[in-house]
């Protein structure tokens, strides 16, 4: 998984980079086929925003979170993206049907 972190009106320090890396790495615990992850951190007047776009095979997931503190926004973002990845994983795994040869026909 490649990870790119950029900041808008913000310099991304090594501490912020490490914090984001630790939080976003939770995605790989659940889902291994993540191709690319892009994180955008921005600061406006009283609102700190964190956005992430996760590119997977066949699907792109985008999520955003805002809070008064940047680290709290990153925590909220990690929780949201984790839920979305788990939802996507469950959808892809639940569509395995029994092949037509093995289905039992109902007799009356």
């Amino acid at each position: 998984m490649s990870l790119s972190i950029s900041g808008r009106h913000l310099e991304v320090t090594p501490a912020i980079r490490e914090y984001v890396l630790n939080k976003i790495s939770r995605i790989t615990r659940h889902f291994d086929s993540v191709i690319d992850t892009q994180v955008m951190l921005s600061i406006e007047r009283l609102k700190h925003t964190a956005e992430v776009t996760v590119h997977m095979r066949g699907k792109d997931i985008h999520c955003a979170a805002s809070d008064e503190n940047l680290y709290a926004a990153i925590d909220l973002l990690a929780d949201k993206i984790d839920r979305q990845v788990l939802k996507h994983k469950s959808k892809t795994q639940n569509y395995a049907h029994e092949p037509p040869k093995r289905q039992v026909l109902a007799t009356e």
Side-chain angles (χ1 to χ4, degrees), residues 38-54:
Q38 297 174 349
V39 179
M40 172 65 79
L41 305 172
S42 65
I43 294 179
E44 293 178 11
R45 191 170 185 100
L46 293 174
K47 185 169 91 170
H48 297 247
T49 305
E51 300 176 9
V52 66
T53 303
V54 177

Side-chain angles (χ1 to χ4, degrees), residues 35-105:
I35 298 169
D36 182 31
T37 305
Q38 297 174 349
V39 179
M40 172 65 79
L41 305 172
S42 65
I43 294 179
E44 293 178 11
R45 191 170 185 100
L46 293 174
K47 185 169 91 170
H48 297 247
T49 305
E51 300 176 9
V52 66
T53 303
V54 177
H55 301 284
M56 292 182 272
R57 191 170 6 121
K59 179 85 172 175
D60 291 345
I61 297 176
H62 180 78
C63 187
S66 297
D67 202 315
E68 293 178 358
N69 184 0
L70 184 62
Y71 289 100
I74 294 169
D75 288 340
L76 289 172
L77 178 73
D79 292 338
K80 283 183 178 181
I81 198 70
D82 198 31
R83 281 193 306 266
Q84 286 187 10
V85 166
L86 284 174
K87 183 178 176 183
H88 174 69
K89 181 180 176 181
S90 69
K91 280 183 177 181
T92 58
Q93 290 180 345
N94 286 340
Y95 287 114
H97 299 290
E98 191 172 332
K101 290 181 184 177
R102 304 206 180 208
Q103 290 180 352
V104 178
L105 296 176

Side-chain angles (χ1 to χ4, degrees), residues 1-5 17 20-22 24-25 35-39 52:
M1 173 180 86
S2 66
L3 175 70
S4 65
I5 302 171
R17 182 175 299 278
V20 170
L21 182 63
N22 288 337
I24 297 297
S25 67
I35 298 169
D36 182 31
T37 305
Q38 297 174 349
V39 179
V52 66

